[in-house]
Amino acid sequence: MTSAKYIGMDVHKESISIAVRSAAGKIVMECVIETKANVILDFIHGLRGELQITFEEGTWATWLYDLLKPHVAKLVVCDPRKNSRQGNKNDRIDARELSDRLYMNKLSSVYHGGAGVRTLRELARSYLTISKDLARVMSRVKAIYRSWGIPCAGKQVYAPRHRAEWLAKISEVGVLRRAEFYYQQLDALRPLRQEVRRELLAESKKHPATKLLRQIPSIGPIRAALLIALIQTPHRFRSKRPLWKYSGFGIEMHSSADYRKVEGQLQRSRKQVSVRGLNRDCNHDLKNLFKSAATIASVKPGPFQEFYAALVAKGMRPEMARLTLARKMATIVWIVWKRGVSFDAKYLKPQTA
């Protein structure tokens, strides 16, 4: 359409640099506005035509997405890791670059949607953050004892009833105070984590997908809640392979000089493709979830353990077998959730791998 406008926004705490391109790709407007809802909407309402807007994923992305979505024809929240460029850099250049990439359709979008699971997403984020903080504090407690040559294997070192016994092993006053502070932090985080856990489980029961996912072996109530929060909807993935990539299980392969001349004709070369490992641009929380579920499923009696044992029996290394099992579990989660069907061991057949 000749009335289309392509708008790139470089968003910051106090200001937004904006570049507007016409349907011909020419810059027709540049400006800087305050990062305030009324100012942003006044600017949008002052433009005519079919408005397409892009900005990078970041702290302001969710708020800005909800604000602008009802007022524009197309809204793209793009991945900043894939927008790298060479040369000079400032807000004006970044806004121009974003509008140009939007005009050329060269942006990699980040999924935003699923407003119905926002409460669950925030609770899941709180649970994961507090769990990581708790793990860090526990590691710091043990690090104190190890730094002074005190063996501290097991979980007894964290137990309140044994705390005085463990603290008595530290002779340095400063080190003793540091250990006491870490124990206080540990005592504060534990009940907080339990409170968030209860709210997370209660909120997850409001979603019908929870019952479906819990039918899958090794997917308990916490993992089911986190899956819904992290994936939001299975319909965002056209097939299982985009889910593999999002979960960090996609295989990256590199090749070059794919064709050669044979008897005057170009034919595809038969040289081996170089496998560079798994993709790194993924949701690491989701990857850890599937990996931990696969680790448990590989030793717990059931269909997944049989699948894992069959792979090892064929000569596959245990770590690769667990990776294959994690990828299989991701596929089954996608099938069960998207189709709304119950778990069936037939999904472990090769054609669903």
Side-chain angles (χ1 to χ4, degrees):
M1 295 180 61
T2 56
S3 61
K5 289 184 173 62
Y6 303 89
I7 306 168
M9 291 184 168
D10 189 43
V11 185
H12 297 280
K13 182 178 69 173
E14 297 181 355
S15 66
I16 301 177
S17 297
I18 300 176
V20 182
R21 291 182 185 270
S22 66
K26 303 294 184 181
I27 293 288
V28 295
M29 182 189 299
E30 288 183 299
C31 64
V32 179
I33 63 175
E34 288 186 273
T35 310
K36 293 182 179 179
N38 60 329
V39 177
I40 297 171
L41 291 180
D42 287 344
F43 171 79
I44 296 299
H45 294 156
L47 299 176
R48 296 291 180 266
E50 181 187 87
L51 305 183
Q52 299 187 29
I53 296 180
T54 186
F55 49 85
E56 293 182 333
E57 174 68 18
T59 306
W60 304 90
T62 300
W63 168 73
L64 203 54
Y65 180 90
D66 291 343
L67 179 68
L68 295 176
K69 182 64 176 175
H71 303 280
V72 299
K74 181 180 179 181
L75 182 57
V76 179
V77 182
C78 60
D79 187 350
R81 293 172 298 183
K82 299 182 180 180
N83 290 343
S84 59
R85 61 184 301 277
Q86 301 294 326
N88 297 331
K89 182 185 184 305
N90 57 42
D91 294 349
R92 178 171 175 267
I93 293 175
D94 290 344
R96 279 175 164 247
E97 182 74 14
L98 286 171
S99 65
D100 182 59
R101 287 177 179 269
L102 179 63
Y103 174 75
M104 299 295 291
N105 196 25
K106 290 184 177 181
L107 290 172
S108 178
S109 63
V110 176
Y111 180 78
H112 275 259
V117 298
R118 181 158 297 170
T119 301
L120 186 64
R121 281 178 57 81
E122 295 301 328
L123 288 172
R125 183 177 298 176
S126 299
Y127 177 80
L128 291 171
T129 301
I130 294 173
S131 296
K132 292 173 184 176
D133 291 342
L134 185 60
R136 289 191 184 101
V137 174
M138 294 171 74
S139 297
R140 288 167 184 161
V141 168
K142 281 196 172 183
I144 290 178
Y145 291 103
R146 289 170 180 158
S147 65
W148 288 89
I150 303 173
C152 55
K155 297 182 179 180
Q156 190 188 70
V157 66
Y158 308 123
R161 64 179 180 272
H162 298 292
R163 189 161 299 172
E165 176 187 346
W166 280 97
L167 288 174
K169 298 180 180 182
I170 303 175
S171 57
E172 291 287 336
V173 177
V175 179
L176 177 62
R177 289 297 294 156
R178 185 156 65 100
E180 289 174 345
F181 290 143
Y182 286 161
Y183 276 126
Q184 291 177 24
Q185 190 177 7
L186 185 66
D187 292 339
L189 287 172
R190 276 177 165 170
L192 186 60
R193 182 174 179 268
Q194 289 300 319
E195 182 181 353
V196 174
R197 184 179 187 275
R198 286 192 295 269
E199 292 192 22
L200 176 65
L201 293 177
E203 181 66 25
S204 68
K205 292 178 181 178
K206 300 177 183 179
H207 300 270
T210 301
K211 293 183 178 179
L212 291 174
L213 296 177
R214 289 196 60 183
Q215 296 175 11
I216 304 173
S218 299
I219 301 295
I222 288 293
R223 286 197 178 98
L226 292 177
L227 280 171
I228 298 172
L230 296 173
I231 296 178
Q232 302 182 56
T233 172
H235 300 284
R236 59 186 287 195
F237 302 108
R238 182 180 55 83
S239 67
K240 59 193 177 185
R241 296 187 184 279
L243 175 59
W244 290 354
K245 185 176 181 181
Y246 184 65
S247 305
F249 299 133
I251 299 176
E252 290 190 353
M253 296 182 292
H254 292 190
S255 68
S256 183
D258 295 331
Y259 291 87
R260 63 178 182 175
K261 194 171 184 180
V262 179
E263 297 180 355
Q265 299 292 328
L266 286 176
Q267 294 184 5
R268 192 170 186 85
S269 175
R270 295 183 180 180
K271 67 178 183 179
Q272 189 174 4
V273 177
S274 175
V275 178
R276 297 301 180 95
L278 302 178
N279 65 294
R280 297 183 179 181
D281 53 334
C282 63
N283 188 315
H284 295 281
D285 290 326
L286 188 60
K287 183 175 183 178
N288 292 335
L289 187 152
F290 282 126
K291 285 175 65 178
S292 62
T295 300
I296 293 175
S298 64
V299 296
K300 186 177 181 180
F304 287 143
Q305 199 276 336
E306 295 172 1
F307 177 80
Y308 169 80
L311 293 176
V312 175
K314 292 179 181 178
M316 184 179 292
R317 290 180 297 165
E319 59 270 23
M320 294 303 297
R322 283 192 294 271
L323 172 62
T324 303
L325 178 58
R327 189 182 287 122
K328 174 67 72 172
M329 293 182 74
T331 301
I332 292 175
V333 164
W334 178 74
I335 292 174
V336 168
W337 191 358
K338 189 171 186 178
R339 298 179 184 175
V341 296
S342 300
F343 170 75
D344 194 325
K346 70 179 183 180
Y347 297 137
L348 288 166
K349 293 181 180 180
Q351 55 264 33
T352 60

